Amino acid sequence: MRVNGQRRTTIKDVAEAAEVGVATVSRVLSGTGSSSPATREKVMAAAARLDYRPSALGRNLRRQRTGGIGLLIPDITDTFYGRLADGVLTCAQSAGEPVMIGTTGDDPEREAELIGSLLEESVERVIAVPCGDGEMWGPAFRAGLSVVFAERPVQGRENVPSVVTDDRTGVRTAVEYLAGLGHRRIAFLARHGQAQRVRAFRESLAALRVPVDDELIVYAHASRDSAYAAAAGLFQHRPDLTAVLAGGNILGEAAVLAAKELDFRVPRDVSLIMFDDVPWAELCSPPLTVISQPAQDMGYRAAELVLREGRRSRTVMLPTELIVRGSCGPRR
Amino acid sequence: MRVNGQRRTTIKDVAEAAEVGVATVSRVLSGTGSSSPATREKVMAAAARLDYRPSALGRNLRRQRTGGIGLLIPDITDTFYGRLADGVLTCAQSAGEPVMIGTTGDDPEREAELIGSLLEESVERVIAVPCGDGEMWGPAFRAGLSVVFAERPVQGRENVPSVVTDDRTGVRTAVEYLAGLGHRRIAFLARHGQAQRVRAFRESLAALRVPVDDELIVYAHASRDSAYAAAAGLFQHRPDLTAVLAGGNILGEAAVLAAKELDFRVPRDVSLIMFDDVPWAELCSPPLTVISQPAQDMGYRAAELVLREGRRSRTVMLPTELIVRGSCGPRR
DNA sequence: CACCCTCATGGAAACGATTCCATCATGGAT
DNA sequence: ATCCATGATGGAATCGTTTCCATGAGGGTG
């Protein structure tokens, strides 16, 4: 309900004011087709005078698609995804594209709903941190929209362009670093869905001839509570562990907290290393040694990919970096 | 460009399949108007059979507005705004409304651009953490969209519904707590735009008959770098201060870091207290005493307000809470 | 001088939904 | 038996833009 009677100025108003046809206005303003300098001038002047802004609604309907980018992430509260989203927004905003965001909470069902919602809006470009299997994405591909996966690849959708971290190398670097300090009972605190990292963890241990202890690989859901429960359980069940590798910043946070509460001293009693560098890692004492991931860059690259829909693009793998601070020490 | 020749199923297809008119289909599916049970049945069946999803494009154009909520925040990387956004998303998603997000970087110019972009998309509901003066919002109000401000009120737009924190009480509580511990040279590390909190800071000191020292009030921009520079400058310029109140989590982070780097021991040399409770506050040593703000709730409430556009709604003020941990001690 | 090619231009169709309005049927009240 | 109110229904207009197509003007070439 429009409060004041002001109808929106349309292309028709501009056409009348400039004394030309609507088609001409459209051509001039969108830069397509040809037009004489004189007409161009008139149209521009009229548009400026009337403060005309084309309506995305009309354009979208005619073009049969909504501009902009859909962005699906598990949790906007997790700074990793926050930085990823920031990268997407930076790229999208500099391209003038609006971004529709949704959080899945790592729940395939919510993911499916959000995909449906994007379809309904005719959004045709989506960046997603997928949480379901490839199943949910069937309708999306059938509808012809272009998807880029971020952070995680999806089994069975290998041909979908993705931007992921080099999990194998990241995990291997961490494990080798810890093993080099003498650790052999190394735990991995993982989030469900980090199968890739767990596999890399096993392989890295095997390569170093360290026996894999299944009890030292524990899983948590995405929430802070679940992460804390997993971490605390790990410390209590297996007080003989000497090092913990956390698969993400929420898990790392939980590990630090659990160690603190249960009086494990870091790094004397236990060495800690965490995936993802976050600002507070420097604030802990001791400051946390981390495997940093270029989250912001990941988002930016994903946005670039999805905007240059034209060329076929394979998946991009971004490097990690071991940042040694103070949370790892020699085996006690 | 549709890859496969599959045209989208439209309301017309459903009408044909159900052997009724398009108007009837629209009425049945949107629940408006009246229709006989038999027709309803037929239409529902046909819609389900064809897997019909109404196109938001057509609806939006006809209705002259885009559903959903526009969300403008300064920085998605700042966990405060992350939680605020999470609140908005939670409410919006449970109402089935899509959310368009944009980050202003606390730059009025970008804010104006984003407002323009929302106007272009005919988004008619906006939640914003405003950074400019009321000026930028003129076009938005003129276009008749309903706006809710979050976190900060805007001078000259007092009649716009807002959801804000009770800055006065929050600041006063912090100052009284510090003064109660014997501190008199208390610094305030503020972000530009926190005039409200600075005013409350001055008033609180005055009420306690503590002289206000202008040099102890320093300002930073929203970035981490600027915050760190301000914090470090403060410690170096005025090593005689005994307590610092940080106006937000980025500023608090900077204060902790600067204190650490410059060898100020917390809380022996300096007491620290920060606006906004964040997960890492417990991880520091000593754990940080904070004034918590219900960021998630703030977002949720703002979304509620903007969705119930109907009733006139005044601004909501949310309480803060002092959470005492270990970063404040008696004056040295 | 005739012809054709190019460029500029405007009218009108299309996109997919909602909604106004006219039509028709049905049933109850007079 | 007649009339009116009510309910169900479909055709057509509408929203604002893009784009197809036809038209006309103008200039260069044969």
Side-chain angles (χ1 to χ4, degrees):
Chain A
M1 186 185 339
R2 202 156 297 278
V3 180
N4 37 12
Q6 294 187 26
R7 203 174 41 80
R8 187 190 180 106
T9 34
T10 75
I11 201 173
K12 214 171 162 186
D13 302 322
V14 178
E16 275 176 24
E19 299 175 298
V20 298
V22 288
T24 306
V25 176
S26 174
R27 270 189 303 256
V28 169
L29 259 33
S30 65
T32 57
S34 55
S35 51
S36 74
T39 323
R40 208 155 28 226
E41 190 77 15
K42 272 196 300 183
V43 171
M44 296 302 247
R49 182 151 33 88
L50 299 181
D51 190 29
Y52 168 70
R53 300 196 67 114
S55 153
L57 262 37
R59 175 180 20 237
N60 289 344
L61 178 57
R62 171 63 221 230
R63 291 234 189 109
Q64 290 284 74
R65 64 203 173 84
T66 296
I69 300 177
L71 174 61
L72 262 38
I73 56 177
D75 178 10
I76 200 174
T77 278
D78 182 330
T79 60
F80 176 78
Y81 299 116
R83 283 176 292 144
L84 192 148
D86 188 50
V88 172
L89 284 173
T90 303
C91 182
Q93 283 185 21
S94 77
E97 300 278 356
V99 173
M100 280 185 45
I101 196 168
T103 51
T104 62
D106 254 325
D107 175 4
E109 208 165 312
R110 276 229 320 265
E111 175 172 271
E113 278 172 31
L114 287 167
I115 294 172
S117 166
L118 291 174
L119 244 31
E120 201 160 303
E121 303 283 335
S122 300
V123 171
E124 59 159 16
R125 287 190 276 248
V126 175
I127 296 170
V129 175
C131 53
D133 46 5
E135 209 64 30
M136 336 263 24
W137 292 93
F141 292 119
R142 243 170 289 136
L145 41 67
S146 63
V147 179
V148 171
F149 288 135
E151 197 206 5
R152 320 171 186 169
V154 174
Q155 279 196 333
R157 299 278 182 198
E158 282 78 12
N159 52 341
V160 176
S162 318
V163 185
V164 298
T165 35
D166 186 354
D167 284 335
R168 287 173 70 91
T169 311
V171 170
R172 187 155 47 88
T173 308
V175 171
E176 283 174 359
Y177 174 62
L178 289 171
L181 288 169
H183 296 278
R184 292 180 60 87
R185 287 191 300 283
I186 305 173
F188 189 19
L189 193 52
R191 187 175 36 65
H192 280 113
Q194 292 186 324
Q196 187 111 336
R197 287 187 186 169
V198 172
R199 201 174 321 125
F201 181 66
R202 297 190 123 98
E203 287 171 8
S204 304
L205 287 178
L208 294 166
R209 309 210 181 287
V210 177
V212 177
D213 184 341
D214 278 331
E215 255 191 18
L216 288 179
I217 301 179
V218 300
Y219 290 89
H221 290 284
S223 75
R224 286 196 157 77
D225 288 347
S226 173
Y228 182 78
L234 179 64
F235 282 121
Q236 288 171 325
H237 247 74
R238 293 296 301 267
D240 62 315
L241 59 78
T242 67
V244 175
L245 170 57
N249 73 74
I250 303 273
L251 295 157
E253 192 184 301
V256 173
L257 199 58
K260 203 168 185 173
E261 307 256 310
L262 299 172
D263 282 323
F264 281 72
R265 284 156 302 177
V266 178
R268 247 189 61 180
D269 297 339
V270 63
S271 288
L272 241 47
I273 187 166
M274 168 175 101
F275 253 86
D276 194 27
D277 191 18
V278 295
W280 57 262
E282 288 194 78
L283 266 39
C284 293
S285 52
L288 233 57
T289 294
V290 300
I291 307 285
S292 82
Q293 311 174 87
Q296 218 261 355
D297 199 36
M298 180 177 280
Y300 196 94
R301 301 283 288 271
E304 280 185 331
L305 274 189
V306 87
L307 287 175
R308 317 210 191 318
E309 163 188 26
R311 331 183 212 318
R312 284 272 151 200
S313 36
R314 282 266 145 263
T315 109
V316 177
M317 190 173 282
L318 264 29
T320 60
E321 188 188 355
L322 174 68
I323 299 182
V324 176
R325 298 206 177 95
S327 64
C328 296
R331 173 170 61 150
R332 63 184 154 177
Chain B
M1 184 184 340
R2 202 155 298 277
V3 181
N4 37 11
Q6 294 187 27
R7 203 174 42 82
R8 189 189 178 106
T9 31
T10 76
I11 200 172
K12 215 171 159 186
D13 301 323
V14 179
E16 276 176 26
E19 298 176 299
V20 297
V22 288
T24 306
V25 176
S26 174
R27 272 190 302 257
V28 169
L29 259 33
S30 66
T32 58
S34 55
S35 51
S36 73
T39 322
R40 208 156 27 230
E41 190 78 13
K42 270 196 303 183
V43 171
M44 297 302 248
R49 182 151 32 90
L50 298 182
D51 190 29
Y52 169 70
R53 301 196 68 114
S55 152
L57 262 38
R59 174 177 26 233
N60 289 345
L61 177 56
R62 172 64 222 231
R63 292 235 188 109
Q64 289 285 74
R65 64 202 173 82
T66 295
I69 301 177
L71 174 61
L72 262 38
I73 55 177
D75 178 10
I76 200 174
T77 278
D78 182 330
T79 60
F80 175 79
Y81 299 117
R83 282 176 294 144
L84 192 150
D86 188 49
V88 172
L89 284 173
T90 303
C91 182
Q93 284 185 21
S94 77
E97 300 278 355
V99 172
M100 278 185 45
I101 196 169
T103 50
T104 62
D106 254 324
D107 175 4
E109 208 165 311
R110 270 219 339 254
E111 175 173 89
E113 279 172 30
L114 287 168
I115 294 172
S117 167
L118 291 175
L119 244 32
E120 201 160 304
E121 303 282 334
S122 299
V123 172
E124 58 160 15
R125 288 190 276 246
V126 175
I127 296 170
V129 175
C131 53
D133 46 5
E135 210 64 31
M136 337 263 25
W137 292 92
F141 292 118
R142 242 170 290 137
L145 43 68
S146 61
V147 179
V148 171
F149 289 135
E151 196 205 5
R152 318 172 187 169
V154 174
Q155 278 196 333
R157 299 277 184 199
E158 281 78 12
N159 52 340
V160 176
S162 318
V163 184
V164 298
T165 34
D166 186 354
D167 284 335
R168 288 172 69 90
T169 311
V171 170
R172 185 155 49 87
T173 308
V175 171
E176 283 174 357
Y177 174 64
L178 290 172
L181 289 169
H183 296 278
R184 292 179 60 86
R185 287 191 300 283
I186 305 173
F188 189 19
L189 192 51
R191 188 175 34 67
H192 279 113
Q194 291 186 325
Q196 186 110 334
R197 287 186 186 171
V198 172
R199 202 175 319 126
F201 181 67
R202 298 190 122 99
E203 287 171 7
S204 304
L205 288 178
L208 294 167
R209 311 210 180 288
V210 177
V212 176
D213 183 341
D214 278 332
E215 258 191 19
L216 288 179
I217 302 180
V218 300
Y219 289 89
H221 291 283
S223 75
R224 287 196 156 78
D225 287 347
S226 173
Y228 183 78
L234 179 64
F235 282 121
Q236 288 171 324
H237 247 74
R238 293 297 301 265
D240 61 315
L241 59 78
T242 68
V244 174
L245 170 57
N249 73 73
I250 304 272
L251 295 157
E253 191 185 302
V256 173
L257 199 57
K260 201 168 187 175
E261 306 256 310
L262 299 171
D263 281 324
F264 282 71
R265 283 156 302 178
V266 179
R268 247 188 61 181
D269 298 338
V270 62
S271 287
L272 242 47
I273 188 165
M274 167 175 103
F275 253 86
D276 195 27
D277 191 17
V278 296
W280 57 262
E282 288 194 78
L283 267 38
C284 293
S285 51
L288 234 56
T289 294
V290 300
I291 307 284
S292 82
Q293 311 174 88
Q296 217 262 355
D297 199 36
M298 179 176 280
Y300 196 95
R301 301 283 288 271
E304 279 185 331
L305 275 189
V306 86
L307 287 175
R308 315 212 190 318
E309 163 189 26
R311 332 183 212 319
R312 285 271 152 201
S313 36
R314 283 265 144 266
T315 107
V316 177
M317 190 172 281
L318 264 28
T320 60
E321 189 188 354
L322 173 68
I323 299 181
V324 176
R325 298 206 178 95
S327 62
C328 296
R331 173 170 59 149
R332 63 182 154 180

